[in-house]
Amino acid sequence: MGRQPKSEADKVHDRIAVLRADRGVSRKELADAVGVHPQTIGYVERGEYSPSLALALRIARFFDLPVEAVFSLDPLPSLSEELLRRMS
């Protein structure tokens, strides 16, 4: 599946927690939908575990978003920062 990041450059940043909150989805509901244990979702959200490509794609598909909207190798700006930047 995935693995623990060895360095900061290996860390995968994500917006899973924000997307789950926005859509009212629990970790268990997301985990069941993508075929992993709820603990795995928690590890990914906290950056303790890098998802496999297949898992990242299943999560992005669940939210009906491109994978780049959910995951990044660079820290993701907050959604409010991103919206303000786009409006300027």
Side-chain angles (χ1 to χ4, degrees), residues 7-77:
S7 68
E8 190 61 30
D10 256 359
K11 187 173 181 180
V12 175
H13 303 271
D14 69 83
R15 287 194 170 123
I16 298 171
V18 171
L19 292 166
R20 281 192 316 97
D22 180 59
R23 302 197 186 182
V25 175
S26 71
R27 282 184 181 161
K28 180 169 180 8
E29 290 169 324
L30 176 58
D32 288 347
V34 299
V36 297
H37 192 279
Q39 215 171 22
T40 301
I41 300 299
Y43 291 144
V44 173
E45 286 180 349
R46 291 188 301 274
E48 297 171 5
Y49 187 76
S50 296
S52 66
L53 177 58
L55 177 56
L57 290 168
R58 288 194 310 268
I59 291 170
R61 179 187 289 166
F62 176 86
F63 290 114
D64 195 28
L65 291 169
V67 72
E68 299 86 4
V70 182
F71 296 97
S72 176
L73 292 175
D74 299 315
L76 292 160

